[in-house]
């Protein structure tokens, strides 16, 4: 108590003196009409301290880049995977070697077989007129065209072929590509860019998938050949989407699916496309020259006017018995591709003899529409004869020239399924001299449809060929699949 | 290396700016005029919005007649170019039946196999009659003929690798092989001036892509060190594998790749090498075996060698040559082998016959003569052009020689003037080259004779004076071969 009192007195005295010092000069100061008090100075000091703290940089631990020695060590330690995986036992790469033209009858490994492995739908392989026109072209132009279309690689037969195909289909213009599969994977990125919407069937083949991937657009898949799924997908994508006016929207379908033999219902697709304002890209590789009264493709088959389909692409390596591809549509569509389609601009043009073969093939089709009736009766006959094959069932459309046979009940794993089918195909070739093939899949292909045996029917097959095939298949599948 | 004079750079930029301004003005008026017409799109978005096709509509269409000229004969040393006319300022061009015979300095015909050849063509016609124009089937199904197997063996021995695989188109070879070799988690390092097919293949594979400066092994080493030390983006896991992609001859520069240095860098850092010999196979090297032979590199050091048959062999298609395991793997997984129609049999026969001629197995020495001729022709032409004062790119022995034009107005001027004097040249502008570096590209062939080359040089010199592209004139003491010849005459 007695020590506290003088301390209290001393502090009180100090306080009084400090407040006097503070208040004295400013006691009666009035700056700009504001009465200055001591507490304002304290507040000012506090604000200064806050501002000072805020202006300082926050503490970050310093970044140390790797030294040269550390990078050397990392590079020495790193071990890459081998460039290709080791060869698996039992993986076969040998394919039968043909020693003559791939027509309905051909020579494989030295003996004559009936050929159901070539997509020679109109039987044009070995046609005299086509071979004569090719010989004329070879003598005049040589084999290759030695340049891309923009740099003296445009030969007059290319321009003739383009106008012939446009006339045949009834479209304003068409453009030729130098290889079948490069057509679709160059057309899709030329029109679809980042931000566009594409609705595609999940069963499209690898070239279409590659084109969709390269286009960097948003891709939505719908169930294979299921129009209800397509309608609901389109509804979901366009409902409430106000920006849909500015975005380009496409539906990508194939006319005859290579992976299953189904035919796309074009009239339904066109109705949906007009309702939701989408454009249609139709891949017609296997239906050009096959479907329709005069072979003009899926649009003629369904009676849809050709102007409603925005872009038609097709490879010519099937019905037309030549190579290359084309894309057909309005003048705007075709002209746009001449500068922005990479497979057209950056690649050498189609060899001229293949273009003249295409022209002769289309001429032949126009003059002999009866060949289509032959093809159709062959397909119908094959369906009838194979309808009771033990263990296998036909899963393709009745009009499709690709007849797809798959196992009645799968063994559970795709590899064993494939082994069984390949055993069947081998036995049919070795024992009965009928050449058939299974569908093959690359591991880059994301299509999940089941594999099977694919039979390519041609207008050049005779009834006896088809009977031979069906009896052989029935016999072999009965023996191979009897255990399953 | 391009030496761009400052004045030229300024005038080129000014020209492009002027063209751009005029283009925008025309677009503006077009928008006003079209605003009154009803749109016939009915709710669909237009195929090209706004500035996407500005370059096509306003710049390219003005000079459309310099590109895509149709011909009516084989693309040999002399060919017939079809004359075209236009009624609406080059927007649409119409063919006539008139043709002019011109000297061909534009087609890829390095060894002269483009036209009908006395050894190759009879055999091609025979194979056409035997196998017909197409097999209508994929190689993995029923498209494999005796010719294909024979050619694969022949290509493998020619190039110096154990095995090879064929494809029907060179572009598809690159686009479909690269995804089969490397996928997500891998790294592709490609030269900055690589061809569009390699870029597409790299994008389609899903791997990360990095670019190194054109033909600069030091920068390649830097990129490799950085990438291996850093690992995959975001996760920093180590890369699964690294592939370095280079080309033998770069088609827009005419330069050879610095292959020995690139190979030593890749070996040091355990990266795989992929060599695209589209333009160099068959055209360079003492026996035509490409850039490996010319630069003394052992083919076993390059992991994958790719090439095409379009340029030197006068056919179509491409090949990949590598070890047996890689080819086995490709035959099982490559989509172009499993899904694409196999190469047309007459085209296969053409390549077989062409390789036999080159190797001398047809009983004559035409092959050796052709190889010597193209080397002589290229070196002579390049030297003369440089003496005249043009800026010519490319290395010695390379049959591709770009002549720099730079200014956009000189592109159609050069092309049309040369055509008027019966010389057909190829001019290249954006987007195949950088915007300021437009050029005319000459491709020499073994079927050009000395007189053809001298005529070509005369015309190019005259047109060059007219158009003003002799950027580096030489002193008067050096007389050119043309003037010497004139003096003798």
């Amino acid at each position: 108590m007695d020590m506290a009192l003088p301390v209290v007195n001393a502090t009180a005295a100090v306080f009084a003196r400090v407040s006097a010092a503070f208040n004295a000069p400013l006691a009666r100061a009035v700056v700009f009409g504001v009465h200055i008090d001591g507490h304002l100075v304290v507040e000012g000091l506090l604000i200064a301290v806050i501002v000072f703290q805020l202006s300082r940089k926050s503490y970050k631990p310093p970044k140390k880049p790797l030294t040269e020695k550390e990078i050397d060590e990392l590079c020495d330690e790193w071990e890459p995977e081998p460039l290709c995986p080791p060869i698996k036992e039992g993986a076969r790469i040998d394919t039968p070697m043909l020693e003559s033209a791939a027509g309905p009858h051909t020579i494989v490994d030295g003996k004559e077989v009936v050929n159901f492995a070539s997509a020679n739908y109109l039987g044009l392989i070995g046609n005299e007129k086509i071979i004569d026109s090719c010989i004329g072209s070879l003598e005049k132009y040589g084999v290759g065209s030695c340049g891309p279309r923009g740099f003296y690689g445009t030969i007059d037969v290319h321009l003739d072929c383009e106008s012939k195909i446009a006339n045949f289909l009834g479209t304003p213009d068409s453009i030729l590509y130098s290889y079948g599969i490069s057509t679709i994977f160059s057309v899709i990125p030329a029109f679809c860019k980042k931000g566009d919407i594409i609705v595609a069937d999940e069963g499209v083949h690898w070239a279409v998938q590659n084109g969709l991937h390269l286009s960097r657009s948003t891709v939505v898949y719908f169930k294979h050949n299921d129009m209800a799924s397509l309608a609901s997908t389109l509804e979901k994508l366009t409902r409430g989407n106000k920006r849909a006016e500015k975005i380009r929207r496409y539906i990508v379908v194939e006319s005859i699916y290579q992976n299953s033999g189904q035919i796309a219902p074009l009239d339904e697709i066109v109705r949906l496309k007009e309702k939701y304002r989408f454009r249609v890209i139709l891949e017609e590789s296997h239906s050009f020259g096959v479907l329709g009264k005069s072979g003009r493709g899926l649009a003629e088959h369904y009676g849809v006017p050709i102007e409603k389909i925005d872009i038609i692409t097709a490879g010519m390596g099937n019905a037309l018995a030549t190579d290359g591809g084309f894309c057909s549509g309005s003048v705007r569509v075709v002209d746009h591709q001449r500068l922005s389609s990479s497979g057209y601009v950056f690649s050498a043009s189609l060899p001229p003899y293949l273009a003249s073969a295409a022209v002769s093939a289309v001429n032949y089709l126009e003059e002999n529409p009866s060949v289509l009736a032959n093809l159709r009766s062959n397909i119908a006959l094959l369906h009838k004869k194979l309808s009771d094959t033990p263990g296998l069932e036909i899963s393709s459309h009745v009009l499709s020239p690709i007849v797809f046979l798959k196992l009645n009940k799968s063994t559970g794993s795709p590899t064993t399924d494939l082994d069984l089918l390949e055993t069947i195909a081998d036995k049919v070739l070795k024992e009965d001299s009928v050449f058939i093939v299974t569908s093959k899949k690359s591991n880059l292909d994301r299509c999940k449809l089941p594999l099977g045996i694919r039979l390519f029917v041609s207008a050049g097959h005779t009834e006896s060929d088809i009977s031979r095939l069906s009896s052989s298949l029935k016999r072999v599948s009965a023996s191979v699949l009897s255990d399953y | 290396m391009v030496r761009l004079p400052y004045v030229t750079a300024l005038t080129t930029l000014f020209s492009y700016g002027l063209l751009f301004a005029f283009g925008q003005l025309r677009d503006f008026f077009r928008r006003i005029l079209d605003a009154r017409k009803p749109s016939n799109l009915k709710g669909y978005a237009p195929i090209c919005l706004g500035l996407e096709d500005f370059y096509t509509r306003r710049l390219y269409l003005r000079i459309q007649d310099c590109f895509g000229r149709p011909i009516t004969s084989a693309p040999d040393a002399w060919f017939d170019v079809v004359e075209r006319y236009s009624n609406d300022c080059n927007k649409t061009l119409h063919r006539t039946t008139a043709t002019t015979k011109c000297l061909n300095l534009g087609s890829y015909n390095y060894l002269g196999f483009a036209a009908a050849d006395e050894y190759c063509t009879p055999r091609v016609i025979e194979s056409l009659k035997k196998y017909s124009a197409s097999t209508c089937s994929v190689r993995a199904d029923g498209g494999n003929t005796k010719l294909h197997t024979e050619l694969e063996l022949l290509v493998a021995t020619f190039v110096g690798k154990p095995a090879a695989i064929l494809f029907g188109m060179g572009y598809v070879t690159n686009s479909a092989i690269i995804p089969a070799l490397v996928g997500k988690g891998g790294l592709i390092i490609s030269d900055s001036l690589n061809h569009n097919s390699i870029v597409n293949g790299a994008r389609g594979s899903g791997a990360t892509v990095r670019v190194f400066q054109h033909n600069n092994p030091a920068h390649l080493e830097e990129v490799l060190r950085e990438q291996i030390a850093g690992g995959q983006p975001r996760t920093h896991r180590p890369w699964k594998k690294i592939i370095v992609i280079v080309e033998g001859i770069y088609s827009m520069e005419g330069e050879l790749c610095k292959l020995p240095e690139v190979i030593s860098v890749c070996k040091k850092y355990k990266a795989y090498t992929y060599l695209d010999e589209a333009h160099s196979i068959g055209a360079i090297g003492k026996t035509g075996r490409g850039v490996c032979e010319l630069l003394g590199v052992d083919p076993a050091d390059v992991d994958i060698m790719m090439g095409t048959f379009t340029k030197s062999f006068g056919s179509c298609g491409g090949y990949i040559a590598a070890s047996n395991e890689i080819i086995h793997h490709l035959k099982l997984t490559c989509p172009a082998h499993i899904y694409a129609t196999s190469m047309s049999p007459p085209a296969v026969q053409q390549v077989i016959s062409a390789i036999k001629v080159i190797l001398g197995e047809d009983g004559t020495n035409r092959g050796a003569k052709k190889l010597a001729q193209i080397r002589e022709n290229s070196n002579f032409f390049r030297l003369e052009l440089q003496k005249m004062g043009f800026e010519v790119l490319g290395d010695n022995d390379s049959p591709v020689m770009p002549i720099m034009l730079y200014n956009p107005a000189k592109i159609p001027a050069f092309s049309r003037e040369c055509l008027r004097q019966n010389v057909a040249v190829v001019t290249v502008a954006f987007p195949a080259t950088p915007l300021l570096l437009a050029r005319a590209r000459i491709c020499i062939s073994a079927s050009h004779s000395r007189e053809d080359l001298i005529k070509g040089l005369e015309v190019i010199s005259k047109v060059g004076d007219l158009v003003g592209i002799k950027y580096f004139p030489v002193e008067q003491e050096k007389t050119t071969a043309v003037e010497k010849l004139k003096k003798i005459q």
Side-chain angles (χ1 to χ4, degrees):
Chain A
M1 250 308 277
D2 33 337
M3 271 206 295
L5 207 53
V7 174
V8 172
N9 284 340
T11 22
V14 170
F15 263 134
R17 233 180 283 153
V18 168
S19 39
F22 263 126
N23 282 328
L26 311 166
R28 269 165 287 273
V30 177
V31 181
F32 303 122
V34 174
H35 193 86
I36 298 237
D37 275 326
H39 68 279
L40 279 179
V41 178
V42 176
E43 280 155 12
L45 269 176
L46 276 173
I47 291 177
V49 167
I50 292 172
V51 168
F52 173 66
Q53 290 286 39
L54 282 175
S55 66
R56 286 183 56 157
K57 276 202 292 236
S58 56
Y59 174 71
K60 277 201 192 84
K63 259 198 199 147
K64 281 193 296 210
L66 296 170
T67 62
E68 289 302 312
K69 190 152 164 298
E70 283 168 343
I71 297 184
D72 280 335
E73 277 172 25
L74 281 168
C75 293
D76 284 332
E77 276 173 14
W78 178 70
E79 276 302 321
E81 278 180 7
L83 191 51
C84 64
I87 300 179
K88 261 197 298 241
E89 282 309 313
R92 312 141 45 141
I93 54 166
D94 300 320
T95 42
M97 196 158 67
L98 267 67
E99 289 165 23
S100 76
H105 290 260
T106 180
I107 303 178
V108 169
D109 293 332
K111 53 179 187 157
E112 179 158 339
V113 300
V114 179
N115 183 9
F116 278 92
S118 294
N120 172 23
Y121 302 136
L122 300 177
L124 288 175
I125 290 187
N127 182 295
E128 285 299 320
K129 281 212 191 118
I130 296 186
I131 294 197
D132 282 337
S133 73
C134 286
I135 293 182
S137 263
L138 282 171
E139 283 170 351
K140 187 170 179 206
Y141 302 111
V143 175
S145 58
C146 298
R149 284 293 288 263
F151 302 149
Y152 305 108
T154 308
I155 306 189
D156 48 359
V157 287
H158 293 138
L159 301 172
D160 292 336
C161 186
E162 286 177 357
S163 47
K164 179 93 207 161
I165 291 180
N167 273 339
F168 181 69
L169 275 179
T171 50
D173 205 358
S174 69
I175 177 174
L176 266 188
Y177 283 85
S178 41
Y179 204 45
I181 59 168
S182 77
T183 315
I184 189 65
F185 76 59
S186 304
V187 166
I188 295 184
F191 289 104
C192 312
K193 309 276 190 248
K194 198 160 179 175
D196 295 340
I197 299 181
I198 307 184
V199 176
D201 188 302
E202 65 180 9
V204 287
H205 64 278
W206 174 82
V208 183
Q209 292 166 24
N210 194 27
L212 294 172
H213 177 79
L214 284 172
S215 69
R216 300 203 251 209
S217 317
T218 329
V219 182
V220 181
Y221 289 97
F222 66 92
K223 282 219 243 331
H224 181 54
N225 222 16
D226 183 348
M227 289 299 110
S229 166
L230 173 61
S232 66
T233 318
L234 291 175
E235 177 67 43
K236 245 192 318 203
L237 283 171
T238 49
R239 187 178 354 151
N241 197 349
K242 290 224 184 63
R243 283 187 55 234
E245 290 294 306
K246 287 274 168 65
I247 307 176
R248 293 173 285 240
R249 292 158 288 177
Y250 295 91
I251 301 178
V252 176
V253 284
E254 288 181 46
S255 55
I256 296 186
Y257 291 93
Q258 286 187 20
N259 291 331
S260 68
Q262 299 295 324
I263 296 188
L266 191 63
D267 48 356
E268 186 61 28
I269 293 178
V270 167
R271 193 185 63 82
L272 285 171
K273 146 199 143 123
E274 289 185 329
K275 179 170 170 201
Y276 293 100
R277 303 271 188 267
F278 273 62
R279 286 193 169 95
V280 167
I281 300 182
L282 184 63
E283 221 284 292
E284 284 220 70
S285 292
H286 291 270
S287 69
F288 181 74
V290 171
L291 290 182
K293 208 160 43 115
S294 53
R296 283 174 166 81
L298 197 63
E300 191 186 25
H301 176 77
Y302 276 102
V304 170
I306 197 83
E307 303 82 50
K308 298 217 171 174
I309 316 228
D310 303 281
I311 303 173
I312 300 177
T313 65
M316 302 196 288
N318 303 312
L320 295 183
T322 170
D323 209 348
F326 68 85
C327 174
S328 200
S330 67
V331 175
R332 182 97 173 87
V333 157
V334 168
D335 271 347
H336 178 75
Q337 286 173 60
R338 291 203 197 269
L339 264 198
S340 43
S341 169
S342 33
Y344 180 83
V345 172
F346 293 109
S347 161
S349 54
L350 184 64
Y353 74 97
L354 291 173
S356 41
V359 172
S360 321
V362 174
N363 279 337
Y364 179 86
L365 182 56
E366 279 184 330
E367 290 159 15
N368 308 321
S370 54
V371 67
L372 293 166
N374 284 350
L375 177 62
R376 255 168 261 161
S377 61
N378 279 349
I379 301 175
L381 186 60
L382 192 61
H383 270 259
K384 201 169 78 162
K385 291 231 158 112
L386 286 179
S387 51
D388 54 350
T389 318
L392 295 170
E393 60 177 6
I394 301 185
S395 66
S396 56
H397 195 273
V398 290
L399 288 175
S400 150
I402 309 179
V403 175
F404 209 83
L405 289 168
K406 64 177 209 267
L407 292 170
N408 262 336
K409 34 184 200 58
S410 158
T411 55
S413 97
T415 5
T416 16
D417 281 350
L418 192 58
D419 280 337
L420 278 177
L421 294 166
E422 288 197 359
T423 327
I424 297 180
D426 277 341
K427 281 194 150 175
V428 167
L429 177 60
K430 287 207 179 55
E431 295 170 14
D432 294 317
S433 298
V434 177
F435 186 20
I436 61 174
V437 286
T438 55
S439 57
K440 307 216 167 29
K441 198 156 106 91
S442 156
N443 63 355
L444 297 174
D445 191 349
R446 53 168 289 170
C447 168
K448 306 243 180 346
L449 294 178
L451 300 168
I453 293 183
R454 280 196 299 194
L455 303 169
F456 295 93
V457 183
S458 160
H461 283 132
T462 59
E463 265 199 50
S464 65
D465 293 334
I466 299 185
S467 314
R468 236 168 104 179
L469 167 68
S470 60
S471 51
S472 163
L473 256 182
K474 286 191 196 148
R475 191 182 63 82
V476 171
S477 63
S479 75
V480 170
L481 295 175
S482 54
D483 312 323
Y484 292 89
Chain B
M1 279 309 297
V2 172
R3 305 167 286 168
L4 178 55
Y6 278 123
V7 178
T8 319
L10 282 173
T11 49
T12 313
L13 274 171
F14 175 71
S15 314
Y16 274 111
L18 199 64
L19 284 167
F20 184 76
F22 266 103
Q24 292 284 38
L25 195 66
R26 292 174 78 154
D27 272 352
F28 174 68
F29 280 115
R30 171 61 47 194
R31 256 201 299 269
I32 295 184
L33 289 174
D34 276 350
R36 298 213 228 114
K37 271 199 300 211
S39 159
N40 61 350
L41 285 173
K42 294 185 287 230
Y44 290 86
I47 284 188
C48 285
L49 284 170
L51 288 180
E52 270 175 13
D53 62 343
F54 178 79
Y55 179 79
T56 313
R57 269 179 304 123
R58 298 299 174 206
L59 272 70
Y60 174 78
L61 281 184
R62 282 170 184 260
I63 55 173
Q64 210 196 141
D65 63 314
C66 301
F67 303 102
R69 292 186 178 140
I71 63 177
T72 58
S73 70
D76 203 9
W78 288 82
F79 62 178
D80 297 321
V81 176
V82 172
E83 287 168 23
R84 300 187 288 178
Y85 68 92
S86 171
N87 292 331
D88 51 3
C89 289
N90 269 356
K91 220 163 140 211
T92 49
L93 292 161
H94 303 274
R95 281 198 278 172
T96 61
T97 43
T99 59
T100 13
K101 203 166 180 58
C102 298
L103 177 65
N104 181 3
L105 289 178
S107 294
Y108 303 137
N109 178 22
Y110 299 141
L111 291 180
F113 283 113
D117 184 77
E118 59 191 1
Y119 179 79
C120 302
T121 312
R123 286 170 177 72
V124 168
I125 294 187
E126 223 180 273
S127 72
L128 172 70
K129 291 192 186 137
K130 186 171 179 203
Y131 292 99
S132 141
S134 164
T135 56
C136 288
S137 177
V138 306
R139 188 82 195 285
D141 281 346
N144 183 24
T145 66
K146 215 157 81 142
L147 289 176
H148 291 93
T149 332
E150 193 186 328
L151 181 57
E152 282 185 348
L153 285 170
L154 196 56
V155 162
T157 33
F158 183 69
V159 164
K161 284 292 223 186
I165 179 175
L166 290 181
F167 298 100
M169 182 187 176
Y171 188 95
V172 163
T173 311
N174 273 332
S175 315
I177 286 289
I178 300 179
L181 289 173
V182 63
K184 213 154 165 309
L187 174 67
I188 297 178
I189 305 184
S190 86
D191 191 293
S192 59
L193 295 176
N194 268 341
H195 189 252
N196 186 275
S197 55
I198 298 178
V199 171
N200 260 349
R203 261 198 229 144
S205 67
T208 318
V209 182
R210 293 275 177 267
V211 160
F212 72 94
Q213 274 168 21
H214 174 60
N215 237 359
N216 190 346
H219 191 240
L220 171 63
E221 183 161 3
E222 238 181 80
V223 172
L224 270 170
R225 285 171 69 84
E226 193 191 314
Q227 290 302 318
I228 297 180
Q232 295 186 28
R234 290 175 62 229
T235 56
H236 295 290
R237 289 199 193 110
W239 295 105
K240 291 206 178 125
K241 45 184 128 154
I242 301 187
I243 297 191
V244 175
I245 307 185
V246 288
E247 288 188 32
I249 291 186
Y250 290 92
S251 55
M252 286 300 157
E253 272 70 34
E255 275 176 357
L256 294 167
C257 162
K258 292 196 178 123
L259 197 57
E261 291 92 340
V262 169
I263 302 267
S264 63
V265 167
C266 290
K267 275 207 164 130
K268 186 166 158 206
Y269 291 95
K270 296 176 253 175
Y272 300 112
T273 37
Y274 181 108
L275 178 64
D276 177 338
E277 289 212 84
H279 284 266
S280 51
I281 189 73
I284 56 179
K286 203 157 78 75
T287 54
R289 284 177 160 83
V291 74
C292 287
E293 188 181 13
L294 187 69
L295 297 177
V297 171
D298 185 8
D301 286 339
V302 181
D303 295 292
I304 300 168
M305 298 175 66
M306 175 261 175
T308 61
F309 300 125
T310 331
K311 281 101 188 171
S312 310
F313 304 102
S315 174
C316 66
Y319 69 87
I320 296 265
S323 66
N324 279 317
E325 292 84 28
I326 297 182
I327 298 292
H328 184 104
H329 169 75
L330 287 176
K331 284 193 173 164
L332 284 175
T333 55
C334 178
H337 182 80
I338 300 181
Y339 298 119
T341 322
S342 67
M343 198 165 148
S344 168
V348 177
Q349 179 63 45
Q350 162 78 13
V351 183
I352 296 179
S353 313
I355 294 187
K356 291 216 167 103
V357 169
I358 294 178
L359 292 176
E361 286 175 18
D362 62 328
T364 67
N365 65 346
R366 275 172 63 215
K369 272 208 287 218
K370 279 183 198 271
L371 286 162
Q373 180 81 14
I374 185 173
R375 208 180 3 215
E376 236 182 82
N377 282 355
S378 322
N379 290 338
F380 169 72
F381 207 81
R382 181 174 266 118
L383 195 61
E384 292 303 316
L385 281 178
Q386 276 168 341
K387 276 198 226 158
M388 283 185 211
F390 290 103
E391 183 172 356
V392 184
L393 305 180
D395 295 336
N396 269 333
D397 279 358
S398 145
V400 176
M401 39 197 97
I403 303 177
M404 296 310 295
L405 296 173
Y406 300 119
N407 206 297
K410 299 188 182 177
I411 305 170
F414 188 76
S415 179
R416 289 172 191 156
E417 263 311 310
C418 282
L419 190 64
R420 235 169 263 155
Q421 314 215 7
N422 292 349
V423 169
V425 295
V426 159
T427 46
V428 197
F430 186 79
T433 61
L435 188 67
L436 294 181
L437 304 175
R439 60 200 74 177
R441 187 181 67 177
I442 311 273
C443 291
I444 298 294
S445 154
S447 54
H448 284 136
S449 65
R450 194 45 83 98
E451 293 82 37
D452 295 336
L453 293 180
I454 292 185
K455 159 140 173 91
L457 283 167
E458 257 178 45
V459 169
I460 292 183
S461 178
K462 253 193 293 200
V463 177
D465 280 327
L466 202 62
V467 168
I469 50 175
K470 291 190 176 171
Y471 295 111
F472 300 100
V474 287
E475 302 90 51
Q476 287 302 326
E477 292 104 61
K478 294 195 185 138
T479 51
T480 61
V482 177
E483 282 155 24
K484 272 196 204 137
L485 208 63
K486 286 216 182 101
K487 279 197 197 146
I488 295 174
Q489 285 167 355

